Amino acid sequence: MNSRCCLLIISGLIFVTACFGLAVADDLITKELELEELWHLGGEEEDDALLEFICSVVRQDEDIYILDTGASKIHHYTVDGDSVAIYDIAGSGPGECDHPNDLLSLGNGYFGLVKGLPAKIIVTDFKDNPQPTIKFHVPTVPDDNPLRVYAIKIQGDYLGVFSHVMRRGVSLSIFELRDNEYGYPQAYELARLLHDTPLVTNEVPSELDTPYYFNREVWNISASGQLYVAPYRDRYLINVYNPDGSLTFQIEGDYDPCERSYDLMDYYSYRVMGRSLYVESYEPAIMGVDIVDDQLWLRTGCSDQQDVYRQYDVYDLQGNFSYKVNLNHRGDGFKDNLVFLGDGLVAIVKGYYDRQHPGFFSENPHSPIEEDVSQVILCRIK
């Protein structure tokens, strides 16, 4: 496969991609599904709300909470699209956080504002009833060597966390929320599954040189604490780990690389910190791992050389293949962030990846890839 050296820029999290798998027969059923738009926040119309950088969309019961981390605000809507409130979370007081990395639903009306460094989860109900802050506890790491969280996912009491410890490198770990001796929940590391100490050199790295789990799209955690991760870019392979870190099973399958267009390679070349990088001319085996209503959805296919919005292989959580999905919608599926909210609800975050590499559009004014305005579209799968 050809490689291409390009400049990569990212604002915030480090980018890469993933692989997953179980052998899938060509004659198995493919479901043609549509994303039906219900309502939206933000857009290009004069009366649309002006959004900066939508980092998270979470659901709790019949309400939707949208984090605009650029503006340090939370937009609260009902599932039906009625505006409830806008919460200003800027500041350093109780229940406040400037530009949080993420928003977590903790249940019972409480939410977590994730601060990356030093890593902590600020607990609030947005009603002036903050709770004690959740800190991360890692065995053998002293408090004066703080943890930095780049990406986090939550299901029930379990957290999947991609983090960095000074002088110890980066890792993908499983944490559990449980009460400390004072009765307040804290995050305790159960297992460190993947660990690397990236070398800092003057050499131009390859996309293949970066550990694949650096990409938050290619791992996820279940409510039982099992972590599903695509460890390699160019293999259709998923490793499934128990909360104690033991490898419980693998999902494997065939990989037929899909070529990237030159326009797409140029776009991807602005996604990783301001440095040169060799970008591959073909797509990874797996581009996303989502848990949707107790099913595992693995994003496959091509980003731009196909007629469907997104393609998925669907499994149960025990690794048994169920069916393929062609998810149809207008727009560019590779540029949107899809957040599965349960019960067939999906939030499309437009402009998500565009915000992560400012400079591409100004330096490539004639690219056929157009910049999107920040917008959240709530949809239902049908």
Side-chain angles (χ1 to χ4, degrees):
M1 296 296 177
N2 295 329
S3 295
R4 189 176 182 196
C5 183
C6 302
L7 179 68
L8 279 91
I9 301 172
I10 190 176
S11 168
L13 299 178
I14 304 175
F15 172 83
V16 204
T17 352
C19 326
F20 195 104
L22 180 75
V24 178
D26 293 336
D27 59 350
L28 292 180
I29 189 170
T30 297
K31 293 188 177 183
E32 297 288 339
L33 302 178
E34 301 279 344
L35 289 177
E36 177 188 22
E37 296 186 13
L38 303 178
W39 52 267
H40 71 269
L41 174 67
E44 299 181 347
E45 301 300 326
E46 186 174 341
D47 58 347
D48 283 327
L50 181 63
L51 306 175
E52 294 187 28
F53 178 32
I54 301 301
C55 188
S56 308
V57 180
V58 303
R59 177 186 176 188
Q60 192 169 124
D61 300 324
E62 296 304 306
D63 294 281
I64 305 295
Y65 298 82
I66 300 167
L67 168 62
D68 186 343
T69 194
S72 296
K73 294 183 184 297
I74 304 286
H75 297 262
H76 179 184
Y77 279 75
T78 68
V79 167
D80 295 328
D82 298 321
S83 178
V84 177
I86 300 176
Y87 308 113
D88 188 346
I89 56 174
S92 57
E96 297 177 334
C97 182
D98 289 323
H99 313 296
N101 289 29
D102 214 334
L103 174 68
L104 307 178
S105 173
L106 302 177
N108 299 317
Y110 282 94
F111 299 85
L113 304 172
V114 180
K115 184 175 178 63
L117 182 69
K120 60 183 177 180
I121 301 173
I122 299 166
V123 182
T124 178
D125 64 354
F126 306 126
K127 298 175 184 176
D128 298 324
N129 295 308
Q131 297 294 304
T133 294
I134 296 173
K135 296 183 179 180
F136 292 83
H137 300 270
V138 179
T140 73
V141 175
D143 292 338
D144 60 354
N145 190 4
L147 186 78
R148 177 169 191 160
V149 167
Y150 288 111
I152 184 169
K153 297 182 182 181
I154 184 171
Q155 289 280 353
D157 292 329
Y158 293 99
L159 303 168
V161 179
F162 172 46
S163 63
H164 174 258
V165 176
M166 189 72 68
R167 298 182 297 276
R168 299 198 181 194
V170 296
S171 62
L172 183 61
S173 303
I174 298 175
F175 283 75
E176 182 183 18
L177 292 177
R178 62 175 184 264
D179 289 347
N180 61 11
E181 63 269 31
Y182 305 107
Y184 298 122
Q186 298 287 283
Y188 296 93
E189 187 181 60
L190 300 180
R192 183 167 300 187
L193 305 175
L194 301 169
H195 181 83
D196 288 276
T197 305
L199 296 176
V200 179
T201 70
N202 293 324
E203 297 181 4
V204 177
S206 165
E207 182 180 352
L208 295 176
D209 292 337
T210 310
Y212 200 48
Y213 67 90
F214 281 24
N215 175 15
R216 64 172 295 163
E217 306 299 330
V218 301
W219 50 267
N220 221 312
I221 196 162
S222 72
S224 62
Q226 288 187 320
L227 191 74
Y228 297 77
V229 56
Y232 306 115
R233 182 190 189 279
D234 292 350
R235 284 183 63 188
Y236 193 104
L237 172 68
I238 288 290
N239 287 342
V240 184
Y241 298 95
N242 287 320
D244 63 4
S246 60
L247 180 65
T248 179
F249 65 91
Q250 294 177 308
I251 303 173
E252 298 184 76
D254 297 329
Y255 171 39
D256 183 16
C258 176
E259 293 294 320
R260 290 171 169 170
S261 69
Y262 284 111
D263 293 321
L264 185 63
M265 290 174 66
D266 286 340
Y267 179 81
Y268 282 158
S269 73
Y270 283 77
R271 272 183 151 179
V272 176
M273 310 292 281
R275 61 176 183 173
S276 297
L277 184 78
Y278 286 103
V279 178
E280 299 303 314
S281 63
Y282 57 98
E283 297 279 36
I286 296 295
M287 293 180 278
V289 177
D290 289 285
I291 296 177
V292 184
D293 296 327
D294 294 325
Q295 291 181 311
L296 195 64
W297 284 43
L298 307 182
R299 183 184 167 202
T300 61
C302 304
S303 291
D304 62 339
Q305 298 181 0
Q306 62 183 19
D307 295 329
V308 298
Y309 181 75
R310 287 276 182 94
Q311 290 182 308
Y312 293 90
D313 292 341
V314 179
Y315 299 79
D316 64 24
L317 294 183
Q318 290 71 49
N320 301 303
F321 179 79
S322 298
Y323 50 84
K324 289 177 172 288
V325 166
N326 286 340
L327 195 58
N328 297 288
H329 188 66
R330 61 180 174 84
D332 298 320
F334 72 93
K335 287 173 78 264
D336 298 338
N337 182 29
L338 265 62
V339 184
F340 293 91
L341 299 171
D343 301 324
L345 294 177
V346 180
I348 298 175
V349 182
K350 302 194 75 66
Y352 177 79
Y353 290 114
D354 292 350
R355 303 289 88 77
Q356 292 191 9
H357 48 78
F360 170 79
F361 296 99
S362 61
E363 295 177 21
N364 298 273
H366 303 297
S367 172
I369 299 176
E370 298 181 357
E371 185 174 10
D372 290 321
V373 172
S374 287
Q375 183 183 45
V376 177
I377 305 171
L378 189 73
C379 301
R380 187 179 301 279
I381 299 175
K382 66 172 191 176

